[in-house]
Amino acid sequence: MGVRINPSILSADFANLEAEIARIGDADLVHVDVMDNHFVPNLTLGLPVVERLQAVSALPLDVHLMIEDPDRWAPGYAETGAASVTFHVEAAADPVALARRLRAIGARAGIALKPGTDAAPYLDLLPEFDQVLVMTVEPGFGGQSFLAETMPKLRRVADAVAASGADVWLQVDGGISDSTIGVAAEHGADTFVAGSAVYGADDPGAAIAALRTAAEAARPAHRH
Ligand code: DX5
Ligand code: ZN
């Protein structure tokens, strides 16, 4: 069964992003981490860069907004043509209204949950979203260690997605590697972000293939 591997260009060479995206041609989407130095302590890139990435990337973009006031800013990212725009529920005033705006523009609408954020308030709203991102590290930096304590929440969301029948991708982000991707897949993730595990490898294509094989082997057979 298919899984998605979305390398994060946070771990790529920021001076050569077009070439870095060309190195991951066998990935599914390119994960783009937008950080505003307010919602998280780090600062990365913003709308003008995402517009250029969208123009030069052969792969669809999976934009992860770690910013304050996504209600105001996220629609602009959808308007670039990004395939997927994910905002943090901790920062959004009205997640459902924002997701509807993103969908109306033509993007898949995603919500992200920090490790300490309870998923329960969102489980009845799953048909409003196309993706739920269960963060497996505190957002802000690449190269951190996977937080296994997020796995029960991941499974609760996976069970709710299955019960709802909605077509919601379940994404994990942070510390995903050959040694952690299996447990995330077992708990229901189908979409995997990997930064350092892909761009820190000598051969990013081989790293993507290994992650994909490990995830597919671990996916529960009863899920679809
Ligand atoms: C962290 C970002 C991640 C980051 C993951 O806040 O959202 O996408 O790039 O990096 P790794 O895979 O190195 O943990
Ligand atoms: Zn991310």
Side-chain angles (χ1 to χ4, degrees):
M1 98 190 45
V3 303
R4 283 163 290 271
I5 306 293
N6 300 357
S8 168
I9 55 168
L10 184 62
S11 293
D13 177 0
F14 271 21
N16 294 288
L17 289 175
E18 182 175 7
E20 291 283 71
I21 290 173
R23 295 173 72 208
I24 55 161
D26 38 7
D28 294 278
L29 296 96
V30 182
H31 186 82
V32 182
D33 289 302
V34 175
M35 304 187 192
D36 68 352
N37 184 221
H38 289 274
F39 181 72
V40 290
N42 200 0
L43 179 68
T44 55
L45 50 83
L47 192 54
V49 176
V50 174
E51 285 173 343
R52 289 296 301 142
L53 294 175
Q54 173 67 23
V56 303
S57 176
L59 293 173
L61 302 189
D62 173 39
V63 176
H64 176 195
L65 298 175
M66 286 159 276
I67 63 172
E68 289 185 352
D69 202 3
D71 306 77
R72 174 174 176 188
W73 299 110
Y77 289 87
E79 283 163 4
T80 67
S84 173
V85 176
T86 297
F87 59 88
H88 272 267
V89 292
E90 303 88 357
D94 190 339
V96 169
L98 179 53
R100 289 178 180 175
R101 286 180 66 198
L102 297 173
R103 283 178 163 180
I105 295 166
R108 295 178 64 89
I111 53 169
L113 308 173
K114 296 204 289 188
T117 300
D118 188 0
Y122 309 100
L123 298 182
D124 289 338
L125 303 172
L126 289 171
E128 298 283 352
F129 308 116
D130 300 297
Q131 173 164 286
V132 176
L133 166 51
V134 173
M135 289 300 299
T136 44
V137 297
E138 287 297 336
F141 299 92
Q144 301 182 80
S145 296
F146 179 81
L147 297 174
E149 59 264 39
T150 58
M151 292 297 97
K153 175 168 68 180
L154 178 60
R155 177 156 288 153
R156 274 198 301 281
V157 179
D159 289 345
V161 168
S164 75
D167 179 22
V168 182
W169 295 356
L170 193 43
Q171 184 175 68
V172 286
D173 179 8
I176 298 298
S177 68
D178 285 352
S179 55
T180 60
I181 197 167
V183 69
E186 283 168 10
H187 285 79
D190 54 35
T191 305
F192 302 87
V193 177
S196 44
V198 170
Y199 279 107
D202 292 336
D203 181 347
I208 292 165
L211 289 168
R212 192 185 299 285
T213 299
E216 286 175 350
R219 287 273 293 161
H222 68 275
R223 293 187 52 78
H224 50 83

